[in-house]
Amino acid sequence: MLTFLRTRHVQVVQAYFLTAPARTQPRGPQEVAGSTACELAVVGRWLRSACASTWAMGRRARVRRLQSQAEGTEDGTEGGGKRGQGGWEGGYPEIIKENKLFEHYYQELKIVPEGEWDQFMESLREPLPATLRITGYKSHAKEILHCLKNKYFKELEDLEVDGQKVEIPQPLSWYPEELAWHTNLSRKILRKSPLLAKFHQFLVSETECAEMSRQEAVSMIPPLLLNVEPHHKILDMCAAPGSKTTQLIEMLHADMNVPFPEGFVIANDVDNKRCYMLVHQAKRLSSPCIMVVNHDASSIPRLTVDVDGRKEILFYDRILCDVPCSGDGTMRKNIDVWKKWTTLNSLQLHGLQLRIATRGAEQLAEGGRMVYSTCSLNPVEDEAVIAALLEKSEGALELADISAELPGLKWMPGVSQWKVMTRDGQWFACWDEVPQGRHTQIRPTMFPPKDLEKLQAMHLERCLRILPHHQNTGGFFVAVLVKKASMPWNKRQPKVQNKSSGPKATTKTNPSNLSQKTSGADDSEVTGTTENKESNGKKDGVCGPPPSKKMKLFGFKEDPFVFIPEDDPLFPPIEKFYALDPSFPRMNLLTRTTEGKKRQLYMVSKELRNVLLNNSEKMKVINTGIKVWCRNNSGEEFDCAFRLTQEGIYTLYPFINSRIITVSMEDVKTLLTQENPFFRKLSSDAYSQVKDLAKGSVVLKYEPDSANPDALQCPIVLCGWRGKASIRTFVPKNERLHYLRMMGLEVLGEKKKDEAVLSNENVASPEQPENDEDA
């Protein structure tokens, strides 16, 4: 040991003198004698530290060696060839799904029916079944449903794995048109059967191309209860990660033949990073009617729009208020909640939840609906927030009776009496019992109203609480509020738009579907003409990020949104090349740059353009619009410098009158499985259409044949490129696989083969100018 310490001493001294920053020449141990007393003291400290660490390392090594020998003896091997439960074989220790405080709290509140407590707890300890929702436009959704039921589910009907029959996915009884399904298939089972692996690959691929979405069953409920129509203005206050937002977008596009619905969705989230996740989800649906913004929902700015030259406040017809919560209803998938759950989480979130709900109610139009929801079962986060909001609204809000709106859904009515418990188990039945020292933690709004008559008039039993054991779901709470009048602290405001009302209705809004003007002191700051658009040096049509003096920016600084002016020479060649219809809304085209060449053109709806132009200085827009045209690097050689993009083809197609090639189902298969098929490989009808076209971007349209029920029964629109002697499509790989599956073509072969045939959709051929922006 002494020899080791002497060696270690020499090493430490060498290290010190060789690394000292003040020296220009390295010094060896022989120079120690000439060192200053200060340097020797430092060396001494280094030595003591090295000795202590060496001793500790040796001690730990001896302990480990003894432990391994003992384990080896127990396992019947010399030297300990295996490790114990905490080592390689055991993995991470399993989380114990117990929380005595949780059980004590909810047993006392009696939110679970008598005699069902054991079922409730057993359900919470079971893993949550996977739930899938078929997304996209209705015609495509019906084809996917047909493919699921008549192909994949039939293959699984008699399948057995390890001697047990595989359970086929079942539809959610309360979701319309069988567009949502749940399954208990685990990952282990999926690996044990080629048929199940094939089914799993189908689900993964369809999810990647936005035709299916994995979403928890209970989170599908709030959008359904909003009763969205295509002309509604919708605000999603806490939108990330975006599964509910995509549902809202789908409802706006209920009619696939209308490229620009009059309504729109503004999706907000306070977390800048989660906003980009939200953008990713929303972009998969390729809608020009979605805008993602980044604000604190409790103080989201009041927006204005231009109506006949006057700025007026924008009120929303539908608001989704899915607030942050403690999440004790998610214990089946977030098992960390078991050990982290305390009542303190609910007490801390109650105030924020009430502020967000209040802000939403302020921005709701009269006659509009707001859905308040949480994934918590705690009345402090649920009924307490609703009761406080109803009380402060003084009759402006009321709970809607939605008991008949989702037949098949099992739920428990809201409670009207509850108590508040602190994290150490102390109970309070009313605000008067709370000691002064607890007033900062517990607030009066956390308790039921004292006035029993007022409490009864609130009809808290109209709230819905979904318990996990009733339909094998997560826990959830939802309430639907209808606005009857403006909030007491606000002035008059417009009523909700009602397209279905007859000509006698007197509350119908302006034909532009924007909010009517409001009066009063609160609105005076936003009333006025729009003649001074270019005040403060702002360029007309440029919607950039808000100035830093007016609003502090978090996260990435976004590029501006620049609308194409009417006299821009960029548009006439595009209009001529594609023979655009005169009704094409060219004013809704925008780019994301103010300098240099415009490489990509985006499009938004007329209503979102109005919102952008009038609110760029008060809100942070993360993303909006869909890409409809993309510049070719050598586009000047052709008649048009911009080619179509698959992302925006369904929006543009109704306005294009030229360069459309009608193709058969066999042509679509050829185009999607071959990289650059020659013209002669197409059907005679398609060949006759393509041979006389000039080189450049084209539209490939498939129309379903109703006389042939076995053929694909949904229309397909693809963007392609007509080369010198061949034609190709510009479709992402996942979307190609989706269309091929819908046509009954098996595409689950070897991975390398798929990549060789289907993964080169963005490789430019010699006949088509390469485009780096869309690759």
Side-chain angles (χ1 to χ4, degrees):
M1 187 64 182
L2 290 174
T3 305
F4 171 80
L5 290 177
R6 289 193 195 99
T7 306
R8 182 63 177 162
H9 170 252
V10 173
Q11 291 174 346
V12 170
V13 174
Q14 285 178 333
Y16 172 75
F17 284 103
L18 289 173
T19 58
R23 300 179 178 86
T24 57
Q25 297 292 331
R27 298 167 61 182
Q30 67 273 16
E31 297 180 59
V32 174
S35 301
T36 63
C38 179
E39 290 175 327
L40 287 173
V42 173
V43 171
R45 286 197 296 271
W46 275 45
L47 180 60
R48 286 194 296 273
S49 176
C51 290
S53 62
T54 303
W55 177 261
M57 290 169 59
R59 184 177 180 181
R60 286 195 295 269
R62 288 195 300 275
V63 171
R64 283 197 299 270
R65 189 163 57 251
L66 290 172
Q67 286 179 343
S68 64
Q69 289 174 356
E71 290 171 3
T73 303
E74 292 175 4
D75 295 335
T77 59
E78 284 192 27
K82 295 184 180 180
R83 294 179 66 89
Q85 290 299 314
W88 298 318
E89 288 188 355
Y92 293 104
E94 185 178 354
I95 293 178
I96 299 173
K97 297 179 179 180
E98 285 186 9
N99 189 308
K100 297 299 182 185
L101 189 64
F102 173 86
E103 295 187 40
H104 171 63
Y105 182 71
Y106 282 112
Q107 280 181 318
E108 184 71 23
L109 291 180
K110 294 182 173 59
I111 65 166
V112 179
E114 202 169 331
E116 297 183 15
W117 179 259
D118 291 340
Q119 299 175 39
F120 171 73
M121 291 304 299
E122 286 175 13
S123 177
L124 283 178
R125 294 187 178 100
E126 292 294 322
L128 191 69
T131 316
L132 299 164
R133 183 172 58 84
I134 300 174
T135 62
Y137 298 120
K138 280 199 172 181
S139 59
H140 287 224
K142 289 179 180 177
E143 285 296 320
I144 295 174
L145 180 60
H146 181 268
C147 183
L148 270 175
K149 295 171 71 174
N150 294 282
K151 182 179 179 183
Y152 291 96
F153 292 167
K154 277 192 175 181
E155 292 176 349
L156 303 179
E157 281 180 356
D158 301 319
L159 181 65
E160 290 188 3
V161 175
D162 294 340
Q164 292 185 349
K165 190 173 180 180
V166 172
E167 182 182 346
I168 299 175
Q170 297 296 319
L172 297 178
S173 59
W174 46 267
Y175 200 92
E177 302 182 38
E178 291 189 338
L179 293 179
W181 296 70
H182 68 98
T183 175
N184 289 312
L185 295 174
S186 66
R187 291 184 180 179
K188 289 183 180 179
I189 295 177
L190 291 173
R191 296 191 189 104
K192 292 182 178 181
S193 167
L195 284 176
L196 287 175
K198 174 182 168 184
F199 174 58
H200 180 250
Q201 182 60 35
F202 167 77
L203 297 180
V204 170
S205 181
E206 292 298 311
T207 301
E208 288 176 351
C209 64
E211 299 298 334
M212 297 187 77
S213 175
R214 182 168 182 176
Q215 181 180 352
E216 192 176 345
V218 289
S219 78
M220 304 177 193
I221 297 173
L224 292 176
L225 293 175
L226 276 175
N227 290 346
V228 171
E229 296 180 19
H231 62 277
H232 282 155
K233 315 292 185 290
I234 307 167
L235 172 64
D236 191 350
M237 301 189 75
C238 308
S243 56
K244 299 181 185 70
T245 307
T246 56
Q247 271 184 277
L248 298 174
I249 297 171
E250 292 163 26
M251 294 172 184
L252 280 183
H253 291 274
D255 187 354
M256 193 175 175
N257 296 319
V258 179
F260 293 100
E262 295 175 353
F264 57 78
V265 177
I266 294 180
N268 172 72
D269 202 86
V270 67
D271 190 321
N272 184 261
K273 292 181 180 178
R274 282 166 62 87
C275 281
Y276 291 96
M277 186 191 309
L278 179 58
V279 170
H280 171 71
Q281 289 277 28
K283 280 290 183 184
R284 300 192 310 164
L285 290 177
S286 302
S287 171
C289 306
I290 171 70
M291 178 190 292
V292 177
V293 299
N294 181 202
H295 288 280
D296 179 357
S298 63
S299 57
I300 191 168
R302 175 172 287 179
L303 305 183
T304 59
V305 289
D306 182 82
V307 180
D308 298 329
R310 298 186 66 83
K311 284 189 177 181
E312 300 176 4
I313 296 176
L314 171 65
F315 291 97
Y316 300 95
D317 306 314
R318 298 288 186 266
I319 293 180
L320 178 56
C321 190
D322 186 51
V323 296
C325 63
S326 60
D328 56 19
T330 67
M331 282 181 162
R332 300 183 68 177
K333 65 175 182 179
N334 298 327
I335 56 177
D336 280 353
V337 178
W338 282 99
K339 61 180 181 180
K340 295 179 180 178
W341 186 92
T342 70
T343 55
L344 183 62
N345 298 334
S346 299
L347 300 178
Q348 291 175 336
L349 286 168
H350 171 86
L352 174 64
Q353 292 163 341
L354 181 55
R355 290 195 301 274
I356 293 175
T358 302
R359 188 58 177 164
E362 289 175 347
Q363 302 207 21
L364 186 64
E366 288 184 29
R369 272 195 173 200
M370 182 175 83
V371 171
Y372 175 88
S373 62
T374 73
C375 48
S376 169
L377 302 173
N378 198 330
V380 173
E381 301 178 68
D382 301 339
E383 286 92 347
V385 174
I386 296 298
L389 184 60
L390 290 172
E391 189 170 16
K392 73 193 315 187
S393 74
E394 298 178 3
L397 298 173
E398 73 173 21
L399 277 170
D401 184 1
I402 52 175
S403 56
E405 292 196 12
L406 288 179
L409 178 66
K410 295 180 181 179
W411 49 275
M412 296 297 298
V415 297
S416 56
Q417 293 296 330
W418 62 89
K419 296 186 290 185
V420 176
M421 188 180 79
T422 61
R423 66 185 302 177
D424 52 8
Q426 187 177 2
W427 288 95
F428 301 105
C430 63
W431 170 248
D432 297 336
E433 297 179 4
V434 182
Q436 187 70 30
R438 297 276 190 181
H439 281 188
T440 56
Q441 184 185 47
I442 300 175
R443 303 301 303 153
T445 53
M446 297 179 183
F447 296 92
K450 287 184 179 180
D451 189 339
L452 295 181
E453 186 177 343
K454 185 184 295 185
L455 178 62
Q456 189 175 3
M458 289 180 178
H459 295 291
L460 292 179
E461 71 278 0
R462 293 178 178 175
C463 300
L464 274 60
R465 179 175 277 105
I466 290 93
L467 299 180
H469 65 289
H470 282 168
Q471 286 181 305
N472 198 16
T473 64
F476 207 70
F477 174 88
V478 62
V480 179
L481 295 158
V482 177
K483 193 167 187 178
K484 295 297 183 181
S486 62
M487 302 299 278
W489 54 88
N490 287 340
K491 301 294 182 180
R492 285 175 51 249
Q493 62 185 63
K495 297 182 180 180
V496 68
Q497 303 167 32
N498 186 6
K499 287 281 179 174
S500 59
S501 61
K504 294 183 180 179
T506 58
T507 60
K508 191 174 180 181
T509 59
N510 190 288
S512 63
N513 294 310
L514 300 173
S515 301
Q516 295 177 357
K517 181 184 179 301
T518 61
S519 59
D522 283 352
D523 305 336
S524 60
E525 61 182 6
V526 298
T527 306
T529 62
T530 56
E531 294 175 358
N532 298 325
K533 266 188 178 179
E534 297 188 11
S535 59
N536 301 324
K538 181 184 173 184
K539 295 181 180 179
D540 188 20
V542 178
C543 309
S548 57
K549 291 183 179 179
K550 292 191 176 182
M551 175 181 173
K552 188 177 180 181
L553 292 176
F554 297 92
F556 299 102
K557 183 177 180 180
E558 294 298 322
D559 294 327
F561 298 85
V562 185
F563 285 96
I564 305 294
E566 288 189 32
D567 56 351
D568 195 313
L570 182 83
F571 184 71
I574 298 176
E575 184 178 31
K576 181 181 178 181
F577 188 73
Y578 297 103
L580 295 179
D581 193 85
S583 64
F584 178 75
R586 59 179 295 179
M587 293 297 293
N588 299 345
L589 285 174
L590 60 87
T591 65
R592 299 297 302 273
T593 179
T594 54
E595 300 175 354
K597 278 189 175 182
K598 300 176 178 65
R599 302 199 62 83
Q600 301 183 41
L601 300 183
Y602 301 84
M603 176 161 278
V604 296
S605 65
K606 178 183 66 175
E607 288 74 20
L608 277 187
R609 179 182 186 273
N610 198 339
V611 173
L612 268 173
L613 288 174
N614 288 284
N615 300 280
S616 61
E617 294 187 358
K618 64 171 68 170
M619 67 175 179
K620 181 179 179 182
V621 180
I622 299 296
N623 197 283
T624 189
I626 54 170
K627 182 167 58 178
V628 289
W629 277 295
C630 214
R631 182 186 289 273
N632 294 319
N633 287 347
S634 305
E636 287 75 11
E637 300 176 9
F638 306 94
D639 295 335
C640 180
F642 287 85
R643 73 168 180 86
L644 299 166
T645 66
Q646 185 63 29
E647 178 184 337
I649 193 66
Y650 283 97
T651 299
L652 276 185
Y653 172 72
F655 302 99
I656 297 176
N657 295 315
S658 176
R659 305 191 65 77
I660 299 174
I661 303 170
T662 303
V663 293
S664 66
M665 194 164 76
E666 292 303 318
D667 291 332
V668 176
K669 291 179 181 179
T670 301
L671 290 165
L672 293 179
T673 55
Q674 299 184 30
E675 186 178 344
N676 283 299
F678 290 107
F679 297 157
R680 64 175 179 269
K681 291 189 177 183
L682 301 176
S683 63
S684 58
D685 185 32
Y687 176 76
S688 62
Q689 297 175 66
V690 73
K691 67 177 183 178
D692 297 327
L693 285 178
K695 287 197 293 185
S697 191
V698 294
V699 178
L700 303 162
K701 176 66 184 292
Y702 165 76
E703 287 287 356
D705 182 7
S706 57
N708 184 10
D710 295 331
L712 186 64
Q713 292 299 308
C714 68
I716 295 178
V717 183
L718 308 174
C719 71
W721 184 268
R722 196 271 193 204
K724 185 177 181 181
S726 64
I727 191 168
R728 66 169 305 154
T729 56
F730 280 89
V731 182
K733 178 183 176 181
N734 290 323
E735 200 166 336
R736 289 188 179 203
L737 297 178
H738 161 69
Y739 289 131
L740 291 171
R741 283 197 194 92
M742 294 304 99
M743 291 182 287
L745 192 65
E746 186 60 54
V747 290
L748 291 175
E750 295 180 5
K751 187 176 180 182
K752 291 182 179 179
K753 183 179 178 181
D754 282 345
E755 289 175 351
V757 176
L758 299 175
S759 64
N760 295 320
E761 67 275 3
N762 288 322
V763 180
S765 67
E767 299 167 340
Q768 192 268 328
E770 184 180 353
N771 179 23
D772 296 335
E773 295 296 327
D774 204 47

